[in-house]
Amino acid sequence: MMKDPIVMVPYDAGWAQEFRDIALWLRQALGDVAQRIDHIGSTSVPGLAAKPVIDIQVSVRSLEPVDVYLSGFEQLGYVFRADNTERTKRYFREGQGMGRTHIHVREAGSFGEQFALLFRDYLRWNRTDADYYAGVKTRLMEQCKHDRQRYVDEKEPYIWEIMRRASRWSQETGWKPEPTDM
């Protein structure tokens, strides 16, 4: 359980600029270690209601050793969350006094990297599923207001439902990720 409630807000066009500002700092700090820097998650989908947290995916050649990219994040004030249980990514959060940011470091070309990009691109393309997803998130936010893990767990089947359609769409369109956002 958490003390701060989950909050969803209407889409904010300023999120795109906020991402670009952060991504520029990341590019300067990480250089070529970051093969891609992409805006992912709900704040990356125009018109989609979201928690006001900028999700960023940084794609690297390899997750290990972490030291290759750790200092770049730390010099910008981001905090490495070594307690993250997902073994296919490394996770960083904003430091004290910074805007809410979740940074997901994944291996370039990995399933996790591609999953996040396909989900984002599909929701950008399919307004019906984007609206459906916003409705699911709003309902779950109300039901799980103070239980973030339950919110994440209960959202998962809906994400996979949408991903089945996204997978079909990717096959029909020949989808591949656009060039990196930064």
Side-chain angles (χ1 to χ4, degrees), residues 29-131:
L30 298 171
D32 292 339
V33 169
Q35 294 185 352
R36 295 182 62 101
I37 301 174
D38 294 289
H39 191 184
I40 61 168
S42 295
T43 61
S44 72
V45 179
L48 186 60
K51 296 187 310 286
V53 177
I54 304 298
D55 280 290
I56 298 174
Q57 179 169 266
V58 176
S59 302
V60 296
R61 183 177 318 277
S62 177
L63 293 177
E64 298 299 334
V66 173
D67 293 343
V68 170
Y69 49 87
L70 181 64
S71 63
F73 287 108
E74 287 179 338
Q75 77 183 32
L76 295 175
Y78 292 100
V79 178
F80 178 49
R81 297 293 300 268
D83 60 340
N84 170 51
T85 59
E86 293 181 52
R87 300 315 331 143
T88 60
K89 77 175 182 183
R90 301 299 175 259
Y91 183 57
F92 292 82
R93 290 282 306 268
E94 73 282 350
Q96 190 76 18
M98 299 171 70
R100 290 286 310 272
T101 311
H102 295 174
I103 300 178
H104 312 263
V105 178
R106 294 188 172 106
E107 287 189 12
S110 69
F111 176 78
E113 179 208 41
Q114 297 296 297
F115 187 100
L117 296 172
L118 175 57
F119 192 74
R120 175 202 66 188
D121 289 354
Y122 177 71
L123 290 182
R124 285 177 174 175
W125 177 81
N126 189 305
R127 187 79 248 153
T128 300
D129 268 342
D131 291 344

